[in-house]
Amino acid sequence: AELAPGMKGLSLSFSSHNLHQHAGFRLHFLGTSSAAPTRERNVSSICIKAKEQCWLVDCGEGTQHRFLHVPHNNLTKIFITHLHGDHIYGLPGLLCHLVNTPGIKKLQIFSPPGLRSLLSQTLGITTSISWDIEYHEFQLHPSFSSYDSRIHNSWPKKGNGITLTPTGTTIFEDANYEISAAPISHSVPCVGYVFREKDKPGRLQEKKLQAAGITDQRLYRKIKSGDNSVLPPGFTCDDFLGKTIPGQKIVVLGDTCDPSFAIAKGEGCDVLVHESTFLDDTQDALRKSHSTASMAGSVAARMKAKSLVLTHFSCKYQHDSDMVAMHKEARKTFDGPIITAHDFMVLDVDKPPREEE
């Protein structure tokens, strides 16, 4: 992997054993090859850690084995970008393994249409799963009828799944995170995912509270949460909180030659993970609905991403010099930090420093 000079807010760990608790998003790259594995790379899969959360994006064949290097007993969600084999053939084995993993009692899988049918038949025939999987399959909003040339025409126009709009759709949200999906252009229905950590209130300014005569520390938690009712007249919680701590945002795109519909939701992301199947053959990339390194850089620039991670490399690129060339090609269109991913790479997206009192 290559880290561009001056890369701030990101740190790399190359050891699978450096798994201490991390405050922000942590990405474990379990597979970075396109179509087929090589001796050094497995096919696509990324594990995302976020505090107590654990999510998986894509699950190529062999992901179950790769997952042995990452604690995952809190895995709750799997996000599939599209139904090509190098992104899903690892699911049956992994799901059978998860049945016997302590702590995993419920699993949600998000994907383009068709995955539920595939897995239900496969797991049903082998009688492998004894607990329910909650499937969420996507469909397109009717407004996409005029954009068929930019997305694959096999997307169903009707169904009972989650409806994706041209600006992206929130598919999960809780108190801490929001996850969105948007359709992107590939040879089959495909999506990109945006993982956003919500902003946090600023640090409680205890000296200001004491100066205002508010000394009952039992109230501090309520003030931190924004409960103005516990304050004397004339004060609001904002008077005693530091600057809001912005949440992180990461974007993981599936295979694509045009992810335009994911740009809006992903704008300003801390990290964009983009496929780079080809080095510089744009014509071949477009013919196969994939991207080159320079195309990935162009998307990062349009998205105003703070950093770019290249992955999903064709099997013909197996040398360090190929990765150097990938970096150089992406640099032609993107001037931010660039990383060429490799299997077992761990990428920490660091939080901004806490504001001092």
Side-chain angles (χ1 to χ4, degrees):
E2 184 172 351
L3 186 62
M7 188 170 208
K8 297 180 179 179
L10 294 172
S11 59
L12 278 176
S13 169
F14 298 103
S15 169
S16 60
H17 301 292
N18 185 17
L19 301 175
H20 58 278
Q21 183 69 31
H22 180 65
F25 284 122
R26 165 175 282 169
L27 282 68
H28 298 258
F29 288 81
L30 306 180
T32 57
S33 181
S34 166
T38 69
R39 292 183 178 180
E40 301 295 330
R41 300 177 184 272
N42 196 43
V43 286
S44 294
S45 187
I46 301 173
C47 176
I48 299 174
K49 294 278 192 160
K51 294 182 181 177
E52 72 285 355
Q53 303 273 359
C54 177
W55 307 315
L56 186 68
V57 180
D58 285 337
C59 188
E61 183 179 359
T63 296
Q64 177 184 183
H65 184 265
R66 286 293 204 258
F67 232 172
L68 296 177
H69 297 263
V70 181
H72 56 273
N73 59 354
N74 57 342
L75 178 67
T76 57
K77 295 173 178 60
I78 297 176
F79 301 91
I80 300 299
T81 61
H82 63 292
L83 303 193
H84 277 157
D86 58 328
H87 294 255
I88 64 169
Y89 282 164
L91 276 170
L94 177 65
L95 292 174
C96 293
H97 161 70
L98 294 178
V99 169
N100 299 311
T101 301
I104 298 181
K105 301 185 182 301
K106 182 179 179 181
L107 189 67
Q108 295 178 307
I109 301 180
F110 298 80
S111 75
L115 187 64
R116 178 173 187 167
S117 175
L118 172 67
L119 290 179
S120 295
Q121 292 187 54
T122 303
L123 299 175
I125 291 172
T126 58
T127 62
S128 302
I129 298 296
S130 58
W131 42 267
D132 290 334
I133 299 172
E134 187 177 304
Y135 294 95
H136 299 276
E137 296 190 345
F138 303 130
Q139 65 186 48
L140 296 184
H141 191 272
S143 60
F144 274 103
S145 59
S146 60
Y147 298 103
D148 285 349
S149 62
R150 298 171 66 183
I151 56 175
H152 198 265
N153 58 17
S154 65
W155 274 96
K157 300 300 187 292
K158 295 182 179 180
N160 297 317
I162 298 175
T163 300
L164 301 183
T165 68
T167 56
T169 299
T170 298
I171 61 174
F172 170 79
E173 186 172 11
D174 64 11
N176 299 310
Y177 302 101
E178 178 187 53
I179 304 174
S180 304
I184 57 180
S185 180
H186 190 44
S187 57
V188 296
C190 188
V191 299
Y193 292 102
V194 179
F195 301 86
R196 185 180 71 85
E197 178 189 38
K198 294 184 177 180
D199 294 346
K200 297 290 191 299
R203 191 173 184 180
L204 198 65
Q205 308 292 296
E206 293 190 25
K207 291 182 179 179
K208 289 185 178 180
L209 285 165
Q210 293 168 2
I214 305 169
T215 58
D216 187 349
Q217 295 189 4
R218 293 173 297 179
L219 302 178
Y220 287 3
R221 178 175 293 183
K222 291 184 177 181
I223 296 171
K224 177 82 171 180
S225 66
D227 185 355
N228 290 319
S229 67
V230 301
L231 293 173
F235 292 105
T236 68
C237 294
D238 289 340
D239 297 329
F240 304 103
L241 296 175
K243 294 181 180 179
T244 298
I245 301 172
Q248 298 175 352
K249 183 195 290 188
I250 58 175
V251 178
V252 181
L253 300 180
D255 297 2
T256 187
C257 60
D258 182 3
S260 294
F261 291 115
I263 298 292
K265 278 287 186 181
E267 184 174 5
C269 62
D270 295 279
V271 178
L272 167 63
V273 181
H274 197 297
E275 68 126 301
S276 183
T277 307
F278 297 100
L279 178 57
D280 55 7
D281 191 341
T282 302
Q283 185 175 358
D284 194 30
L286 291 174
R287 182 173 61 84
K288 297 178 179 178
S289 297
H290 282 291
S291 293
T292 65
S294 62
M295 290 168 66
S298 178
V299 171
R302 291 170 58 199
M303 195 176 283
K304 301 178 182 177
K306 296 176 183 176
S307 59
L308 170 64
V309 179
L310 302 176
T311 187
H312 196 268
F313 307 109
S314 169
C315 297
K316 63 184 178 182
Y317 305 118
Q318 297 194 33
H319 304 288
D320 289 344
S321 58
D322 294 323
M323 295 301 102
V324 172
M326 287 282 183
H327 188 283
K328 289 181 178 179
E329 282 296 309
R331 173 62 65 222
K332 293 178 180 179
T333 51
F334 180 63
D335 60 6
I338 301 169
I339 302 173
T340 54
H342 65 82
D343 284 28
F344 298 117
M345 185 180 85
V346 179
L347 177 63
D348 287 340
V349 186
D350 295 327
K351 280 185 171 294
R354 292 176 65 89
E355 181 181 79
E356 295 186 357
E357 291 185 272

